[in-house]
Structure formats: structure tokens, C-alpha cells
């Protein structure tokens, strides 16, 4: 039986955070003074993640995305990819990464069964990139993207969070750099977590600016891309817009988030749900874990209430949740 919440939304997509640690400290994701990361023994082991994904797959989850923190700082990630790829019902294993360490492992990940990759990149200016990520090296990320293309993980999706007054002036540069069939460039609205450190640029504003420069044709559902609304630009770029604040998509949400310590976050904005790890470690059977998951999903909230310029911020720290 499929995994349906109290509002009838069916869940087919699971984001799995494999660590809350990160080699970057992006200004929109982490507080300036960092945060206390989870003790290692509280993280789910690969065996525990695989067991949970198997249980989720039995309830209709088809697509899994590995995220973090930075997933590539967890050792031997390709072993997890391989294991998840053997689970009946899982058709797609994707990853979201900052790509700093990707150049060395893209090929192995693809060979292990990774099907798709999203790379987060908000600036093509090395100095600004380093400032936004608090230490990231742009050339390493670009090398990681090239390696992903060479490994056939195409189209590589490039995710850029646009912050008002901070990187919005790079809109055209990003579109020019990532044009061509090997990329899809997606602009994401900044979501406020706990506090509002930055201001989002609504995606309708970005669309307007792009339309003044290039012709744009809607691509509809052709990229099978969840909440992103995609367009073909006349310069050859494919551009998507993800608008959690200005064009909320909560009513069609099909996703769940398994955090690195086993908490199931049924809504991105909500810290509330208990840990599945405790069920695993206290000897629960698969059937008992399934019942616990169904009960958590039934109480999923209707949606978040952050808005472009106010409302209630999301709970917790983004790097813990995994985007
Ligand atoms: N470290 C990996 C990365 O950066 O791709 C995976 C984890 S990161 C939390 C996942 C995604 O969340 C990234 O694309 C990042 O840009 C996005 N993100 C982080 N904080 C955000 C925020 N406050 N608003 C919108 N997107 C955010
Ligand atoms: Fe790390 Fe990704 Fe958050 Fe940046 S967005 S701090 S790379 S988890």
C-alpha cells in the first residue's frame, strides 16, 4: 500500500542525508559560528540506511537522493550507492553535492549506479564563491562538474541560490556558462531557516530579467523535475525555477527527508518527527518500522508558512536537513 499522508499526498521520493558535516560553510545554509554536528554513533550506518530504504521502497518510494551536509565527505559512499541500487523498486539514485571532492570519484559513483547528480554553485567569481561558501575553491567545483559530465551523469543539474544584492548580478553569466545539452541550470529561492539572514529574489523577477534578454519556451514536465518549472532559452540553456516561497508547491509535495541521525522530516519546514533510528536499534521488526513511518507521514503538515518577505522561518539548520 502506498505512503499517503492525511491530505492524500502520495510519497514516492526520499531524500537521505548521509552526514550533517560539510567542508563548506555556505552563508545561507549554516550559521556564521557553525553548529554542533551530530555525534558519529548517532548517525545511521549504511546498513541501517539500506534497511530503511528497503522498507520505504515496499511502500512505494521509487527515487532516492543522497544529500547532506556534504555527502562526499562520508567515506565509501559508492558502497551505499551500490547497495541502494539493488533494492527492488528503487529506479533512481541521485545525489546533491557541492562537488568540491567530485573530480576524483564521479566515475566510480556512476559505475556504482548513481543515475543523476545536482551540483550547488552560486557564483562564477572565485573570490565571491569563496566568500559565499566560506572557503570553497571554485576551480575544484568546476573540475567536479566536468568529471560528472565525462562520467555520463548528464544532464548535470546546477543549483544556484539567488540572494538579493549578493549574487543576483551573475544571472546572465551563469546562464551563458551552463548552456548546452549537458546542463540544466536551476535557480532556487533562498529559504529562511530559524532566522532571515538574506533576502530572496523571487523567481518571477529572474524570469522577467531573462525574458528581456532571450526568448524562452516552457518545457512543461519534459525534464521530470519535481517542483522545478523549466524553460528552454534561445541561447541553448535550459533553466529551471524552484520557488518555495513565491509559488509554493506544498499541495503536490511527494517527498520525505531522512536525516543523518534517522529523524524522518516529513516537511522541510518541520523539525518535529521522531527518529527511526531508535526503532531500528531497539529491535523493531520491519513491519513495526513501517507502521511507525506511516504514522509519522499521516501527521505531515499541510505546508510551510514562510513568505517572500516574512512569515514563519523553517525550523532547524539546513545543512542538517539536506535541502
Ligand atoms: N552540500 C550539498 C550541496 O550543497 O549541494 C548538499 C546539501 S545542501 C543543504 C542541498 C541544497 O540546499 C543545495 O543546493 C543548497 O544550495 C541548498 N540550500 C541550502 N541552504 C538553503 C537555503 N537557506 N535556501 C535555499 N536553498 C538552500
Ligand atoms: Fe555545505 Fe551544501 Fe550547506 Fe553549502 S549548502 S554549507 S555545501 S551543506
Amino acid at each position: 500500500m502506498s505512503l499517503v499522508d492525511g491530505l492524500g499526498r502520495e510519497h514516492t521520493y526520499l531524500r537521505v542525508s548521509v552526514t550533517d558535516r560539510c567542508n563548506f560553510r555556505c552563508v545561507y545554509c549554516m550559521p556564521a559560528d557553525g553548529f554542533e554536528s551530530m555525534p558519529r554513533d548517532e548517525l545511521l550506518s549504511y546498513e541501517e540506511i539500506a534497511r530503511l530504504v528497503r522498507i520505504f521502497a515496499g511502500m512505494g518510494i521509487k527515487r532516492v537522493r543522497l544529500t547532506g551536509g556534504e555527502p562526499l565527505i562520508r567515506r565509501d559512499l559508492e558502497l551505499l550507492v551500490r547497495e541502494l541500487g539493488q533494492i527492488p523498486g528503487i529506479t533512481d539514485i541521485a545525489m546533491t553535492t557541492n562537488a568540491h571532492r567530485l573530480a576524483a570519484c564521479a566515475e566510480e559513483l556512476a559505475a556504482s549506479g548513481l543515475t543523476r547528480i545536482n551540483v550547488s554553485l552560486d557564483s562564477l567569481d572565485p573570490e565571491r564563491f569563496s566568500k559565499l561558501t566560506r572557503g570553497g575553491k571554485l576551480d575544484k567545483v568546476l573540475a567536479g562538474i566536468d568529471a560528472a559530465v565525462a562520467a555520463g551523469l548528464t544532464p548535470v543539474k546546477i543549483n544556484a541560490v539567488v540572494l538579493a544584492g549578493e549574487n543576483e548580478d551573475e544571472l546572465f553569466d551563469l546562464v551563458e556558462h551552463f548552456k548546452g545539452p549537458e546542463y540544466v541550470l536551476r535557480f532556487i529561492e533562498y529559504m529562511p531557516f530559524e532566522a532571515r539572514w538574506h533576502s530572496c529574489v523571487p523567481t518571477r523577477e529572474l524570469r522577467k530579467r531573462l525574458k528581456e534578454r532571450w526568448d524562452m519556451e516552457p518545457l512543461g514536465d519534459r525534464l521530470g523535475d519535481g517542483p522545478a518549472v523549466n524553460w528552454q532559452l534561445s541561447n541553448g540553456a535550459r533553466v529551471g525555477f524552484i520557488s518555495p516561497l513565491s509559488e509554493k508547491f506544498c499541495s503536490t509535495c511527494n517527498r520525505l527527508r531522512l536525516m543523518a541521525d534517522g529523524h524522518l522530516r516529513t516537511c522541510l519546514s518541520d523539525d518535529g518527527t521522531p527518529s527511526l533510528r531508535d526503532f531500528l536499534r531497539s529491535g523493531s521488526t520491519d513491519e513495526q518500522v513501517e507502521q511507525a513511518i506511516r504514522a509519522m507521514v499521516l501527521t505531515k503538515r499541510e505546508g510551510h508558512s514562510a513568505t517572500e518577505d516574512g512569515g514563519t522561518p523553517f525550523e532547524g539548520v539546513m545543512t542538517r536537513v539536506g535541502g
Side-chain angles (χ1 to χ4, degrees):
M1 199 172 58
S2 60
L3 193 46
V4 177
D5 71 9
L7 297 168
R9 292 172 294 192
E10 193 176 333
H11 295 81
T12 53
Y13 178 61
L14 179 69
R15 296 178 72 99
V16 178
S17 170
V18 295
T19 176
D20 64 337
R21 290 163 201 255
C22 189
N23 45 351
F24 286 4
R25 299 266 175 281
C26 299
V27 295
Y28 50 74
C29 181
M30 280 211 205
D33 45 1
F35 74 108
E36 204 177 322
S37 47
M38 298 165 181
R40 279 181 202 281
D41 62 347
E42 288 188 11
L43 299 189
L44 293 176
S45 67
Y46 285 169
E47 290 71 25
E48 288 171 325
I49 292 174
R51 180 176 168 203
L52 284 174
V53 171
R54 202 165 281 117
I55 295 169
F56 275 107
M59 293 185 275
I61 292 288
K62 296 184 171 50
R63 299 168 58 191
V64 172
R65 174 170 296 278
L66 303 177
T67 176
E70 173 47 37
L72 293 180
I73 67 171
R74 181 123 182 212
R75 222 180 288 164
D76 302 328
L77 192 69
E78 68 286 353
L79 299 181
L80 178 64
V81 171
R82 209 172 278 278
E83 176 109 22
L84 298 183
Q86 284 161 10
I87 296 176
I90 299 297
T91 56
D92 191 26
I93 304 164
M95 178 169 68
T96 299
T97 172
N98 64 33
H100 215 237
R101 297 190 175 182
L102 184 60
C105 58
E107 208 176 305
E108 192 173 13
L109 285 166
S112 302
L114 193 76
T115 43
R116 294 184 302 123
I117 198 157
N118 291 8
V119 174
S120 308
L121 184 148
D122 315 305
S123 172
L124 290 166
D125 175 79
E127 224 168 89
R128 181 183 281 172
F129 183 82
S130 171
K131 257 195 200 151
L132 285 173
T133 55
R134 300 199 184 97
K137 302 251 182 304
L138 178 65
D139 56 346
K140 293 187 82 170
V141 173
L142 294 176
I145 293 172
D146 288 347
V149 171
L153 292 166
T154 49
V156 175
K157 290 187 183 148
I158 309 293
N159 289 344
V161 177
V162 185
L163 306 172
E166 298 184 57
N167 63 345
E168 56 180 315
D169 56 332
E170 292 197 52
L171 179 66
F172 294 158
D173 292 346
L174 284 162
V175 168
E176 277 296 341
H177 191 97
F178 293 109
K179 61 186 176 194
E182 63 273 43
Y183 306 115
V184 179
L185 172 63
R186 292 125 47 97
F187 293 110
I188 304 177
E189 287 175 352
Y190 163 70
M191 291 175 273
F193 268 77
E194 302 275 289
R196 193 174 275 276
W197 302 313
H198 306 273
S199 296
C200 97
V201 184
T203 52
R204 64 172 175 280
E205 175 59 30
L206 300 176
R207 263 194 311 272
K208 180 170 153 268
R209 292 181 202 170
L210 292 178
K211 273 186 171 161
E212 283 165 6
R213 175 113 175 205
W214 290 292
D215 290 335
M216 290 173 69
E217 291 283 332
L219 282 168
D221 278 345
R222 268 173 283 168
L223 301 177
D225 209 11
V229 179
N230 297 297
W231 297 74
Q232 176 73 55
L233 269 60
S234 52
N235 74 338
R238 286 178 293 176
V239 172
F241 300 96
I242 302 179
S243 321
L245 302 195
S246 69
E247 291 158 26
K248 262 172 86 164
F249 37 81
C250 301
S251 65
T252 55
C253 181
N254 67 347
R255 55 189 58 193
L256 298 168
R257 294 172 166 86
L258 182 62
M259 291 167 65
D261 62 356
H263 279 264
L264 185 70
R265 201 159 169 129
T266 50
C267 169
L268 176 58
S269 70
D270 178 8
D271 230 353
T273 352
S275 175
L276 292 172
R277 185 199 61 216
D278 299 340
F279 286 87
L280 299 185
R281 294 190 187 171
S282 63
S284 300
T285 62
D286 286 1
E287 289 68 30
Q288 287 166 328
V289 177
E290 176 176 334
Q291 288 320 311
I293 292 171
R294 287 193 186 282
M296 292 176 193
V297 171
L298 262 184
T299 64
K300 172 166 170 156
R301 64 166 72 158
E302 186 175 350
H304 70 79
S305 41
T307 59
E308 280 169 50
D309 35 34
T312 315
F314 293 55
E315 294 169 1
V317 180
M318 182 60 132
T319 188
R320 281 212 154 149
V321 183

